Structure formats: C-alpha cells, structure tokens
C-alpha cells in the first residue's frame, strides 16, 4: 500500500495505541450494553408481535362495573349475523390462583368441536391425537412453565384445582406445548371448555369471551361498533389494540432506556473530549512537521477523520457482534432475567427470533457514533490548525 | 543571474514574550545562488529561516519568496506555498521519528495528490540523490545522525522546490559526514536549486569558496559579502 | 402512558440527532457572526489569523452535521414508515406524515436543509480554492442553515408531539389516489402527455448539457424536477406496485418493494440538486461546471433507467402495459 492520508492515520493509531485502546474498550463496553438491550427488547417485541399475529382478530367480553362477567353463548349467534365476521368461537379464559403458593395459571377452555380460530392451539392439537385427548375431559395441555412447576410438586402428572363451591377437580397432564409457541403459552393450561366452565363456576350457557375474525381490515373500525351496539356491556378488544399496547409498552421502556443512555453518553463525551485533547496535544510536533512540509489544515482534518472513523467502526463491529452473540447465542442471561424474570412462571426458554435488522443497527450506530464524533470535533480541529512553527521547536 | 528569489524588506520579528529576534532585516538572495547565513547561537538564524520558509510571519516588513509575498499571505495560501516552493532541513532534522525513511519522505508529497507511480518515482529519486535508499524501510529513530540528515535532505528535495534551506546542517555530523553533505549540496546547486545554509561551521567557507556569506548578530545583518 | 410518540425509540434518536447538530451549529453560527463582522483578508494580524482558523472549525462542524443529516433523513422516512404500523389507518408513511399539517412541511424542510448544507460544503470547497472570495455569503448561508435547523426542530417536535396513535388517519390511496373527476396532474396534462414531456425534458437536459446552453439547461432542469415528480407518482409508481391506481410516493420505500423508493428519490433529489448547483456555479461563481453537470445528467439518467426498468419488467412478466382504471369513485387498491 502506498502511503496516503488513511495510511498515516493508521500509523498514528498504532503509534498512539495505548490511548486509543482505552477509548476503544470503553466504547466496546458501551456498544455492547446498548446493543444487547436494544437487540433483546426488539427481538422480544418481534416475538410477541408474531405470537399476537396468531391470535383472533377480536375478543368480545362482557363488562359490568369494570369486571368481566360471563357472557351468554347466544351472543355468538348475533355476532355471526354481522357482515364481515368469521371464525366465531367460544372461549373460557381466566386466571386461576393457587391459594397455597400464590402461583397462577392461565386456564383456557376451548370448545374442541367448534371450528378453531386459534392458530396456535390448532397446531398443538394437530400434533396430538385429538381423539385420545377428548376421551377424558380432565386432560390438559400445559405450557412449559406449568409443566416445570408440576414436576417440582409431588404429583407430577396431575394438578388439583377447586371450583368456587370447593369441589376438587383433578387435571391430568396430557401434553406439554412445544417450546416454539412458548411466549404466550408459558403459564397456559388448555382444557375442554366444559371443565373450564366448571372450574370458574360458569353455567353451561355462558363463557368468558367470544372470539372472531374479520378478514377485511377496512372494516375493523366499524365492526366493534356494530358488536357493541348489540349490548352496551360488551367490550370488543381488537388484535391491533393489543398489538399497539405492547408496542407502546416497548416504546415506553425503550425510550426510557434510551434517555438514560443519552445521559451516560454525555459523560462518555466529556471523557472522550479530554482524552483526545490530551492525545492530540502530544502529537503537536509531528503534526507541526507535517504542516511544515506542506500539509494543509484539510489534509490533517481528513487524516484525523480517518483515525476516528477507524476507532468508531472497529469498536462498533466488535461491540455489536459481542452483543449479538450474547443475546442470540448465549440467550442473554442477565438481561433475560431483568426483562422476564418477574413473571409468574419464569419465561426462561423463549426462543427469540434472531434477525439482522438494519434499522436497529443504524439506531445503535447513530447513538454511538454521533456523540463520539461530536466530542472529537474540537480536539481534531485544534490539532489540525497546529502551527508549522511547532516543527522548529 | 541578478533576479532575486528571496527578498526581505525591513523585516522585524518580535515574539510574544517580547524578544526581538529580528530587527529591520533587508536582504536579497538570487536565483541559483548558495549563501551562508552565519551568526552565533541565538542571533536569529532559525527565526529568519522560518520566515523565508513560510512557517511563521514577520511582525513587520515584507517577505517575498519565489515571486510570492508570503508575509501577506493568509494561512491557507501559506500551506500551499510550503507545498511547492521550499524544502527545509531543520536544525534537528524535523523528522517524524516513528515513521520510516520512506514514509517521512512520501509524506511531503501527499498534499500534492500525485499519481501513485509518479510519487513513487520521485521518492526513489530523492532517496538516491541523498544516498539513503538502502535505509528506506528503517524507522528514523534507528538511524545515525548522518543518515537522519540525508533523510531530511531527501525529504526537502522530493517535491522539487526552488529553494532548499538548511538550518545548522553539520551541527550533529562528524567531519566525514559533513564533507559528504557538502558534496550533496553542490549536487543540488548544480540542479538549479537555490540553497540557503544557516551555520556557524567554518567548514563551509573552506569547502565552498566564492560563496556569499551573510552574518547576522542580535537580529541584525552585520555584513554581506559577495 | 400518554399517547404521543415522544418516547418512541426512533423518534428519540431523531431528536437526539437534531438537537446535537443544532448545538454544534450554534457554535458555528457564533463563529460565523464574528467572521462576518471582522473578516479582513488583507490583514495578517492575530485576529484575522484566528478567524481563518475558526473558519476551519466551521467547515469541520458543517461536515459533521452533513454526515448526520445524510443518515437522519432516510432514518426519518423509515421511522415514519414503521410508525404506520401503530397509527391506525395508515398503511405507509404517507398516512403518518399527513397526520397533521406539520408532517409534509417537516419533510420538505429536512430536504431543503440537507440541500443547503450540501450546497454550503460545495461552496466552501470552492471558496477555499478561490481564497475566501465567498466567505461572507458563505457565512450568511450558514446563518440561514441555522435558522432552518431551528425551525426544523420546532416542526419535528410539533409533528411528533401531536400524533395521537389512537386517532385514525387516511391511508395513501385516499391521499394520492385518482379521485373521480379530479385530475391530480398539473396544467391539465394526461398521463401520456406527462410521459412524453418527461422524456423530452430529459432529452433537453442532455442536449443543452452537450451544447453548453446555460439558460435552456436551467429551464429544463427546473421543469424536469416538476414533471419527473408527477411522472413517478402517476406513471411509474403503478409499475413498481404492479397496481394500476396506486400512486403513493411512500409505499415504494417499504420492504415489499425492496426499498426501491430510497433509490428513486435519492437519485431524483441528487440529480436535480447537482443540476441547480452547476447552474449556480456557472452563473454566480463563474467556474466551469461541466463536471457537476455531467454528474447531474448521469444521475438523472440512472433515475430514468431505473424507472423504465420497472415498466419493462412488468411488460416482460405480463406481456402488456398497465391500463389506467378509470376510477368509479371507489378507491380500488389495498
Ligand atoms: N518561539 C519563541 N518565543 C520566544 N523567543 C524565541 C522563540 N524562538 C526563538 N526565540 C528567541 O529568539 C532569538 C533568536 O533565536 P533563533 O532560534 O533564531 O537563534 P539561532 O540563531 O537559530 O540560534 P542557534 O544557533 O542556537 O540555533 C533567541 O534569543 C531565542 O531565544
Ligand atoms: Mg537555530
């Protein structure tokens, strides 16, 4: 390679390696930190949103005095009448808390004879011998979290719950939901709708929610209004709403994190400013010599720009790759606990979608490179305008 | 021959701390001339050279070099003036110690944005001229004083300046190396460079007879023969 | 949790970029003001020397800002596009950006700002070569850039602050669709005439470039910038989308269309920008600008090839060209 300004930039870098390595390590740590969190939260968000995709478009519940009350089955027939609705099905859906351990499970009662709209459930049932499952009403399909917890208890194949009247129901483990569907199903217990009705003390003619789809998105705004007009107590939750609620939650957490990171970045900038002022002032003489032999301010500026860019790009690549492997290969041990640890059954086995998202990468790059370049602006300019007189010292 | 390439008119230089290093200097140096600038330590030789080489500006007066009134030039013009017109061999050589000889030399071609092979050829030529080719890839801090000197010469001539200025070139050399250096200087002279040597080493007067000598003391020109 | 987007990750990054560049721009502007008042090139005193040094800091800062803005402009567009997932009714950036009055203006200001910064850098290059002949106009331009950046930030704040992600907005087919009885094209043109004009104007640019006809070149570039915009929307976009009445300038920036919109619009803006710059350089700076003209003509040429490529691809796949569906009041697509 014939020397050019980039070549001299590299030589300078190697020459001042000690000063730069300190900065690079600090940068790598910072990038690792932000990248891991951004990568993890975005992958989690992606995973959740994708899981949401499989949910029915709308869920109808009946609300009275702000609590969910049983809804009559015949409401479903009225919903069918509304143009544009399909895949209407009944569901008993609710939390059951074990009084002794305070653990709670999500009971999902499904009418297996009904046309299924729940893609995720369909998948599980398909992979199972449906007939065998249906033979016993008390058989259950449980999420990974529940299964693990059951193993720890004495009776590892059964789960005893009580109806509101105090009658015990012995649930028998039939199958564990595969890991790939883990996100929502972790604390889920799927059973026959009749068993679920019994556990929650519902009448045969009542369920907790009715779900349905509306294939034409343009009608999504009108249909809930039509459904609500059937009965003023009905509440319609659209998939888009929950999608948005999640998105908002992630936005909120992510935004909060970003703002705190920007605070950290400020102190990082001060540090960079000082460090680079120091490194560059030690280069005064050699820059002075370059100026004396004809280098202009622009030439030095460009050389220093290359220097900075090299440090930025190298630290970025290393930090990002470390974070990527931390999140997607080593499954982000600590961050996982922070994000998911406090849920009911620990969501430790979620398989995250690992994708390279350029938008994310740009976000992280801007977040890091911008303060970096900003803090070296003045030191770089100062050294570039070094007087050639320095060569005579 | 009577065409001045360097003209100083009423030039004074007062440093920030109040030191008056040059006091009302008037001087003309002609094309293809070799002159000696002599004077005791602290008399102002280096300061004068700095003004001629465009490294600094006078407090007062006019400096015209190679047809350019450099005392009036803005910094940016001074940069390109240095690229083209002068080559300086500094008192302590002014080499970048951690670069190799080759890198030091090619550094002064970088602002010219020459094509690769032209630059390469020029560097090789300059190194040959200064007899330093064999050390091309050694780092400067490994070199002896004489080798550093020759490296500095190669760098000073590589962008083919009209004027080559040497500041105390023999101060760190033994007799043998000094003689060699003078031989090199004679070579430069025969190639049409104007050479200015600041020194108080009598060897120049011995080995370069008929040379114009300007003596400066306390920032003033005392006499000027030739 | 409130409804605004001010805590959205990408929006925060946008503000971070805008605010940071505004901060360094303040430094540059203060230095510029000093230069405007005190610059005297004939002096070689300390102050003048310092001003010369400061002018280098200014160019460093503008170079820095330029690189931020070059990244942030597409980032902004992309952000707008992702927001269309959470703003109800919006199918692409068009819906989000038309959410309130600020959106379109903000985008426009951002483009103008970037163009002015690029303009400044080119002028700066030339100014340094010509020994600061344009230093004062350059510094005034800098103050203008500062003002625009400030307005930009203000608009950005108001735009995002006002977006309520629970309010339904229009989608692009309502915004850019061909409504019944309404001709969105300027000067009563129809599609065919538009297309003919489009190619004719490019031919004019090309020939005036070759013949060095300054005034005609100017006129051609300006007319082309208008005609090309409409041609993309109402002739070429449907080929990109493979839907006869889809005329949205934003959808083509989505993944489904391989982000080709970024290429289309960058080529368009850079080509026009260089055309205008070369006219300016020729007329005002009095320098030969054939080279920047050549770049302009080449880039616009690539722009056209890209668009024509889509038409040919469609023809190759379907053995027919798209027929405009005369709309019947119903909006057909989506
Ligand atoms: N940057 C400076 N600031 C203040 N005083 C200076 C500066 N540079 C040189 N001087 C002073 O100016 C005077 C002339 O110095 P100069 O270096 O020109 O002498 P010289 O003839 O080159 O001496 P030597 O033979 O030792 O190299 C000296 O008194 C020196 O102390
Ligand atoms: Mg000296």
């Amino acid at each position: 390679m014939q020397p050019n300004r980039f070549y001299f930039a590299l030589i300078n870098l190697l020459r001042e390696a000690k000063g730069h390595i300190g900065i690079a390590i600090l940068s790598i740590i910072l990038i690792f930190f932000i990248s891991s969190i951004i990568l993890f939260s975005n992958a989690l968000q992606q995973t959740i949103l994708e899981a949401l995709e499989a949910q029915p478009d709308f869920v109808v519940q009946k609300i009275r005095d702000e609590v969910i009350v049983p809804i009559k089955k015949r409401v479903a027939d009225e919903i069918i009448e509304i143009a544009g609705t399909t895949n209407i099905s009944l569901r008993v859906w609710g939390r059951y808390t074990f009084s002794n351990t305070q653990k709670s499970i999500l009971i999902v009662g499904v009418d297996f004879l009904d046309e299924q709209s729940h893609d995720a459930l369909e998948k599980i049932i398909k992979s199972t011998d449906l007939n065998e499952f249906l033979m016993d009403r008390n058989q259950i399909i449980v999420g990974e979290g529940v299964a693990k917890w059951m193993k720890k208890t004495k009776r590892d194949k059964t789960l005893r719950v009580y109806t509101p009247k105090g009658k015990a129901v012995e649930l028998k483990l039939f199958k564990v939901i595969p890991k790939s569907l883990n996100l929502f199903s972790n604390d889920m217990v799927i059973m026959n709708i009749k068993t679920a009705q019994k556990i929650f003390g519902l009448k045969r003619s009542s369920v907790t929610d009715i779900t349905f789809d509306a294939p034409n998105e343009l009608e999504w705004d009108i249909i809930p209004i039509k459904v609500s007009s059937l009965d003023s107590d009905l509440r319609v939750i659209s998939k888009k709403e929950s999608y948005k609620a999640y998105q908002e939650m992630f936005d909120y957490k992510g935004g909060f994190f970003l703002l705190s990171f920007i605070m950290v970045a400020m102190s990082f900038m001060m540090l960079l400013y000082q460090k680079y002022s120091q490194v560059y002032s030690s280069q005064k003489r050699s820059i002075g010599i370059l100026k004396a032999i004809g280098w202009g301010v622009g030439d030095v500026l460009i050389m220093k720009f290359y220097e900075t860019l090299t440090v930025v790009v190298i630290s970025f690549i290393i930090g990002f790759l470390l974070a990527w492997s931390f999140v997607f290969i080593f499954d982000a041990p600590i961050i996982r606990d922070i994000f998911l640890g406090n849920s009911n059954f620990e969501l430790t086995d979620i398989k995250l979608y690992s994708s390279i998202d350029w938008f994310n990468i740009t976000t992280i790059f801007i977040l890091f490179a911008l303060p970096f370049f900003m803090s070296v602006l003045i030191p770089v300019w100062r050294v570039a305008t070094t007087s050639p007189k320095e060569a005579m010292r | 021959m009577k065409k001045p390439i360097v003209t100083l008119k009423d030039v004074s230089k007062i440093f920030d701390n109040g030191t008056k290093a040059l006091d009302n200097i008037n001087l003309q140096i002609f094309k293809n001339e070799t002159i000696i600038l002599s004077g005791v330590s602290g008399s102002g030789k280096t300061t004068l050279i700095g003004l001629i080489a465009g490294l600094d500006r006078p407090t007062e007066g006019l400096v015209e070099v190679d047809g350019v009134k450099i005392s009036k030039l803005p910094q940016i013009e001074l940069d390109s003036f240095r690229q083209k017109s002068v080559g300086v061999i500094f008192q302590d050589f002014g080499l970048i110690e951690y670069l190799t000889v080759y890198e030091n030399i090619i550094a002064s071609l970088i602002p010219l944005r020459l094509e690769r092979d032209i630059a390469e050829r020029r560097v090789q030529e300059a190194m040959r001229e200064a007899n330093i080719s064999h050390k091309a890839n050694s780092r400067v801090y490994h070199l002896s004083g004489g080798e550093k000197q020759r490296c500095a010469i190669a760098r000073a001539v590589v962008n083919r300046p009209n004027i080559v200025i040497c500041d105390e070139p023999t101060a760190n050399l033994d007799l043998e190396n000094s003689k060699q250096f003078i031989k090199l200087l004679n070579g430069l002279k025969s190639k049409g460079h104007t050479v200015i040597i600041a020194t108080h080493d009598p060897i120049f007067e011995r080995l370069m007879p008929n040379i114009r000598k300007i003596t400066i003391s306390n920032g003033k020109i005392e006499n000027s023969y030739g | 949790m409130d409804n605004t987007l001010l805590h959205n990750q990408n929006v925060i990054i946008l503000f971070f970029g805008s605010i940071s560049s505004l901060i360094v721009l303040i430094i540059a502007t203060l230095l510029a003001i000093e230069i405007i008042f005190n610059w005297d090139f004939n002096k070689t005193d300390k102050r003048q020397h310092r001003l010369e040094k400061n002018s280098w800091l200014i160019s460093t800062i503008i170079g820095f800002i330029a690189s931020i803005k070059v990244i942030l402009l597409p980032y902004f567009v992309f952000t707008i596009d992702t927001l269309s997932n959470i703003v109800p009714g919006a199918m692409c950036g068009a819906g989000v950006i038309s959410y309130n009055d600020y959106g379109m203006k903000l985008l426009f200001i951002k483009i103008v700002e970037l163009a002015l910064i690029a303009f400044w850098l080119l002028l700066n290059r030339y100014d340094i070569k010509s020994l600061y002949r344009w230093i004062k106009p350059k510094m005034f331009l800098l103050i203008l850039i500062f003002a625009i950046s400030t307005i930009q930030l203000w608009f950005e704040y108001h735009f995002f602050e006002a977006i309520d992600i629970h309010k339904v907005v229009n989608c692009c087919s309502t915004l850019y669709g061909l409504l019944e009885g309404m001709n969105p094209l300027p000067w009563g043109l129809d599609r065919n005439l538009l297309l003919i004009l489009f190619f004719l104007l490019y031919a004019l640019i090309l020939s005036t470039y070759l013949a060095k006809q300054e005034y005609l070149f100017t006129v051609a570039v300006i007319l082309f910038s208008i005609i090309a915009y409409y041609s993309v929307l109402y002739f070429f976009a449907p080929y990109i989308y493979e839907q006869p009445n889809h005329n949205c300038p934003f959808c083509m920036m989505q993944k489904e269309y391989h982000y080709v919109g970024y290429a289309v619009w960058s080529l368009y803006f850079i080509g026009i920008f260089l055309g205008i710059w070369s006219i300016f350089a020729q007329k005002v700076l009095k320098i030969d600008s054939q080279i920047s003209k050549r770049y302009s003509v080449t880039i616009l040429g690539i722009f056209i090839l890209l668009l024509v490529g889509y038409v040919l691809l469609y023809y190759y796949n379907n053995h027919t060209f798209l027929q405009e569906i005369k709309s019947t009041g119903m909006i057909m697509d989506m």
Side-chain angles (χ1 to χ4, degrees), chain A residues 389 393, chain B residues 15-17 19-21 39-48 91 167-168 200:
Chain A
K389 273 189 286 186
R393 290 261 157 87
Chain B
F15 284 109
D16 288 348
N17 61 1
T19 314
K20 194 160 193 176
V40 293
S41 184
S43 55
K45 301 184 295 292
T46 302
T47 309
L48 186 59
Q91 191 159 0
D167 193 359
E168 308 275 4
H200 47 233

Side-chain angles (χ1 to χ4, degrees), chain A residues 57-58 83-87 212-220 223:
Chain A
D57 294 343
F58 293 95
T85 59
T86 57
N87 292 346
F212 67 92
D213 286 346
N216 186 354
E217 282 197 35
L218 290 179
E219 293 172 16
W220 277 21
I223 286 177

Side-chain angles (χ1 to χ4, degrees), chain C residues 103-131:
Chain C
M104 265 318 201
K105 288 179 195 151
L106 175 61
L107 181 62
F108 179 73
I109 290 175
K110 277 176 182 284
I111 292 169
V112 168
E113 187 192 22
L114 186 58
L116 283 180
I117 289 172
F119 194 88
W120 194 94
L121 284 174
L122 286 173
L123 181 63
N124 183 48
R125 243 176 87 124
Y126 175 68
D127 177 51
I128 290 170
K129 266 194 209 143
S130 72
L131 294 181

Side-chain angles (χ1 to χ4, degrees), chain C residues 150-310:
Chain C
T150 315
I151 296 172
Q152 192 264 121
L153 182 61
W154 191 81
F155 268 67
E156 195 162 63
Y157 175 76
H158 282 277
F159 172 62
F160 284 119
E161 195 256 352
I163 290 184
D164 177 344
I165 50 181
H166 299 295
K167 209 184 105 181
V168 181
V169 301
N170 287 328
C171 89
C172 57
S173 43
T174 1
L175 293 164
Y176 294 95
L178 295 163
L179 293 172
E180 190 185 18
M182 244 179 53
N183 185 357
L185 301 181
W187 310 311
L189 292 168
D190 67 19
R191 277 205 204 185
N192 296 334
L193 223 58
L194 181 73
L195 196 65
I196 292 169
L197 257 183
F198 177 73
F199 287 113
L200 272 184
L201 280 171
Y202 182 70
L204 189 62
I205 290 179
L206 195 65
S207 49
T208 50
Y209 152 71
L210 293 171
K212 302 191 178 181
Q213 289 281 323
E214 300 308 326
Y215 286 106
L216 273 178
F217 185 82
T218 314
V219 173
V221 166
I222 291 171
L223 282 181
F224 183 78
S225 67
I226 301 167
I227 293 298
Y229 173 75
Y230 284 102
S231 304
V232 171
L233 250 56
Y234 294 103
F235 183 81
F236 293 106
Y239 282 95
I240 296 175
Y241 303 129
E242 303 189 331
Q243 275 179 332
N245 279 9
H246 195 182
N247 308 106
C248 177
F250 287 91
C251 282
M252 60 176 88
M253 291 191 254
Q254 293 183 325
K255 195 178 174 191
E256 296 150 78
Y257 307 107
H258 313 287
Y259 304 112
V260 71
Y262 289 97
V264 170
W265 295 119
S266 321
L267 288 169
Y268 170 79
F269 283 117
I270 295 172
I272 301 290
F273 172 80
L274 283 175
I276 292 172
W277 159 257
S278 59
I279 296 160
F280 178 84
Q282 190 92 41
K283 288 287 154 220
V284 182
L285 305 179
K286 309 251 182 287
I287 46 175
D288 181 38
S289 61
Q290 263 326 83
I291 296 176
S292 35
K293 268 190 206 162
R294 185 165 69 218
Y295 279 121
S296 166
V297 171
T298 315
I299 288 172
L300 290 178
I302 299 172
F303 166 71
I304 291 176
L305 283 181
L306 178 65
L307 294 173
V308 170
Y310 268 94

Side-chain angles (χ1 to χ4, degrees), chain A residues 250-290:
Chain A
F250 277 104
D251 262 8
Y252 203 74
K253 279 187 179 172
F256 180 76
F257 165 70
L258 270 194
L259 285 179
S260 17
F261 176 76
I262 288 172
M263 297 295 158
V264 176
M266 301 256 193
S267 24
F268 180 60
M269 284 169 74
M270 307 281 254
L271 204 118
L272 278 182
Y273 180 84
Q274 272 184 344
K275 186 74 195 168
Y276 272 107
S277 299
Q278 188 192 328
V279 169
Y280 289 158
S281 70
S282 75
Q283 293 177 353
K284 252 193 165 158
R285 184 172 149 84
S286 54
I287 299 293
I289 291 173
L290 291 177

Side-chain angles (χ1 to χ4, degrees), chain C residues 45-169:
Chain C
D45 59 354
K46 282 236 161 57
R47 185 168 74 182
Q48 178 60 21
H49 191 177
R50 185 167 49 83
L51 294 183
E52 277 172 40
K53 273 189 165 186
N54 288 353
S55 79
W56 277 106
L57 181 55
I58 293 174
S59 355
T60 315
I61 287 175
I62 302 293
F64 167 72
I65 292 175
S67 22
I68 296 180
K69 301 272 166 173
V70 161
I71 302 175
L72 282 187
L73 181 59
Y75 193 89
F76 172 74
V77 177
F78 202 92
T79 302
I80 292 296
D81 195 68
T82 35
L83 289 181
S84 65
N85 287 333
I86 44 176
V87 174
M91 303 277 180
C92 70
V96 180
I97 209 153
S98 320
Y99 182 89
N100 55 31
D101 282 349
Y102 295 108
M104 265 318 201
K105 288 179 195 151
L106 175 61
L107 181 62
F108 179 73
I109 290 175
K110 277 176 182 284
I111 292 169
V112 168
E113 187 192 22
L114 186 58
L116 283 180
I117 289 172
F119 194 88
W120 194 94
L121 284 174
L122 286 173
L123 181 63
N124 183 48
R125 243 176 87 124
Y126 175 68
D127 177 51
I128 290 170
K129 266 194 209 143
S130 72
L131 294 181
Y132 302 115
R133 265 180 47 203
W134 298 93
I135 184 106
K136 283 191 184 171
K138 201 171 77 176
M139 294 305 148
F140 280 115
L141 179 59
L142 178 67
I143 294 175
L144 179 67
I145 291 175
F146 170 71
I148 288 181
S149 282
T150 315
I151 296 172
Q152 192 264 121
L153 182 61
W154 191 81
F155 268 67
E156 195 162 63
Y157 175 76
H158 282 277
F159 172 62
F160 284 119
E161 195 256 352
I163 290 184
D164 177 344
I165 50 181
H166 299 295
K167 209 184 105 181
V168 181
V169 301

